[in-house]
Amino acid sequence: MYCSKCGSGLTENQPACPACGHPAGRSLLQEEIIAEQTRFDRNILWLSRCWLLFAVLSLALGVAGFFIGPAGGGYAGPYEPWPHPPIWNWTLAPSVVWILLVSRVVLSLVAAWGLKQRCEWCRPVAILAGAAAMTEFPIGLVLGAYTIAVLIGKHRAALYAHQG
């Protein structure tokens, strides 16, 4: 190890340089590790906020679609290519849509809360939410890809576990 001010050689446990008196401080490797952990922590906090925003946006657009959808017609009339059973048109289809919407919103909220709290179980949940969100173009695709890129891998798992 060398002094960052004058370049004199230092031993590992010296608090200051014997030549110039400059404090030895941390090594460059330790500084890089701390900087990487800080960047990762900021990314996790940012992801948490994005997942919260995605949940609110999904809910708002889902509710808007509920009111706009029936006004748009949706029924093609007698020229529809195949007959639909009445149960699908009036009862089953809206139920499936609402179940999927509520599931996406809940999964997004759980991912947002868990990432903010840095819960151990939330990393896989956020990766799952990212994979599910990739079906929503373009916002969900970008958020899902970024979430997976930030959280996947052994090194990222170690950074996630080490709260800085």
Side-chain angles (χ1 to χ4, degrees):
M1 197 160 103
Y2 297 95
C3 177
S4 61
K5 186 173 182 181
C6 69
S8 299
L10 301 173
T11 61
E12 198 62 37
N13 296 329
Q14 274 184 314
C17 176
C20 69
H22 184 48
R26 298 181 211 161
S27 71
L28 186 59
L29 180 61
Q30 289 172 332
E31 293 293 333
E32 289 175 9
I33 291 170
I34 291 170
E36 182 181 17
Q37 183 69 46
T38 303
R39 279 191 308 271
F40 185 79
D41 292 342
R42 274 187 295 203
N43 281 339
I44 294 297
L45 183 61
W46 187 80
L47 268 177
S48 171
R49 292 176 182 159
C50 286
W51 277 110
L52 181 62
L53 182 64
F54 184 71
V56 170
L57 184 65
S58 293
L59 185 63
L61 291 176
V63 169
F66 176 74
F67 291 111
I68 294 172
Y75 178 67
Y79 304 106
E80 198 168 73
W82 66 87
H84 294 288
I87 191 169
W88 178 259
N89 287 339
W90 300 106
T91 58
L92 192 57
S95 300
V96 169
V97 169
W98 279 108
I99 288 170
L100 291 175
L101 175 69
V102 169
S103 300
R104 183 173 62 232
V105 169
V106 167
L107 189 61
S108 298
L109 288 173
V110 167
W113 180 80
L115 286 171
K116 186 168 178 68
Q117 300 297 321
R118 292 292 278 269
C119 299
E120 178 182 321
W121 52 266
C122 184
R123 186 173 162 268
V125 168
I127 291 171
L128 177 68
M134 290 177 82
T135 61
E136 298 293 323
F137 183 79
I139 296 170
L141 179 67
V142 172
L143 180 60
Y146 186 70
T147 299
I148 291 171
V150 167
L151 295 176
I152 209 111
K154 288 182 180 179
H155 180 66
R156 303 293 174 107
L159 287 172
Y160 185 83
H162 178 275
Q163 299 180 15

